Amino acid sequence: MSERKRAAVFASGTGSNFEAIMKQDDLACDIVLLVCDQPDAKVIEKAENLGVKVFVANRKAYESKVAFEQGIVDALKATDVEWIFLAGYMRIAGETLLQAYEGKIVNIHPSLLPKYPGLDAIGQAFRANDTKSGVTVHFVDEGIDTGPIIAQEAVDILPTDTMETLQQRIQAVEHKLYPTVINQLINGGATS
Ligand code: GRF
């Protein structure tokens, strides 16, 4: 039997996607590291409760973005990480990280890309009175939410929706879609 793949999740905030990935019974890889750039992020406590090693990557402790990302790459390599799943990681991947993990970095975004890349995607769709939003999982390149799309799932925006209810339904879709796509990738489905 071949060895299980090892992966890291990168997150900066609440970590509901991290938790959903961790709680997926049949996840095809082991999440062996959480990389977090915010020392006070709630996701850190979630990782500790789930027994996942945490690497707090403090940008201010490094002279440059290259050195910062090299510090992360060193931690990933030391843990034999092969895949990176971004889940609310609020930094743009630079070439140090992209080159070290070419074709192996994936992100989830709460819109039907290419619509509404970047911040506040749910709010933008809501305020524009769109009737449809959704979730995209995509490979990461040097742009902001621009890499090749792996999977998308639409979510209707109902006339009765508030920002909060819309966000809840989008996140519920994220929590199912991301582990499913991770399993497809690990089991040799989509490639960049
Ligand atoms: C998610 O909506 C994800 O799509 C976006 O950031 C959010 C993170 O939420 N990239 P959480 O920290 O996983 O709850």
Side-chain angles (χ1 to χ4, degrees):
M1 211 176 83
S2 61
E3 260 184 46
R4 277 169 69 82
K5 304 278 186 211
R6 295 161 68 82
V9 170
F10 284 34
S12 306
T14 313
S16 70
N17 279 282
F18 166 73
E19 198 167 27
I21 293 166
M22 289 303 303
K23 293 197 166 159
Q24 179 76 16
D25 285 338
D26 65 347
L27 199 72
C29 60
D30 293 329
I31 306 297
V32 294
L33 191 67
L34 171 79
V35 175
C36 181
D37 63 322
Q38 299 294 328
D40 300 325
K42 286 193 183 143
V43 67
I44 293 178
E45 199 185 318
K46 288 194 166 102
E48 286 168 353
N49 290 339
L50 289 160
V52 177
K53 201 169 152 189
V54 178
F55 180 72
V56 180
N58 181 0
R59 173 65 183 87
K60 289 190 188 123
Y62 298 87
E63 265 180 21
S64 64
K65 179 161 178 167
V66 169
F68 168 68
E69 289 199 336
Q70 192 57 53
I72 294 175
V73 169
D74 291 347
L76 296 169
K77 297 289 180 190
T79 328
D80 289 327
V81 164
E82 198 176 316
W83 284 87
I84 297 172
F85 301 115
L86 308 186
Y89 182 63
M90 300 300 284
R91 288 181 184 273
I92 300 163
E95 63 178 24
T96 306
L97 192 58
L98 290 168
Q99 278 173 13
Y101 281 89
E102 203 183 339
K104 300 280 190 183
I105 312 179
V106 176
N107 182 43
I108 188 160
H109 183 76
S111 79
L112 294 175
L113 291 171
K115 215 170 180 187
Y116 307 131
L119 293 175
D120 193 25
I122 299 174
Q124 289 189 69
F126 185 74
R127 288 190 298 274
N129 290 320
D130 291 357
T131 53
K132 201 172 72 164
S133 180
V135 175
T136 303
V137 180
H138 65 95
F139 287 109
V140 172
D141 64 10
E142 64 289 340
I144 299 177
D145 304 320
T146 49
I149 290 171
I150 304 165
Q152 289 190 305
E153 190 170 326
V155 173
D156 287 332
I157 303 179
L158 309 174
T160 49
D161 261 331
T162 61
M163 261 290 289
E164 200 182 17
T165 59
L166 177 60
Q167 184 169 353
Q168 281 166 359
R169 288 209 320 289
I170 287 181
Q171 285 227 305
V173 169
E174 290 190 325
H175 297 163
K176 284 194 174 163
L177 185 64
Y178 212 2
T180 302
V181 173
I182 289 172
N183 280 359
Q184 285 166 359
L185 290 166
I186 299 289
N187 292 329
T191 50
S192 62

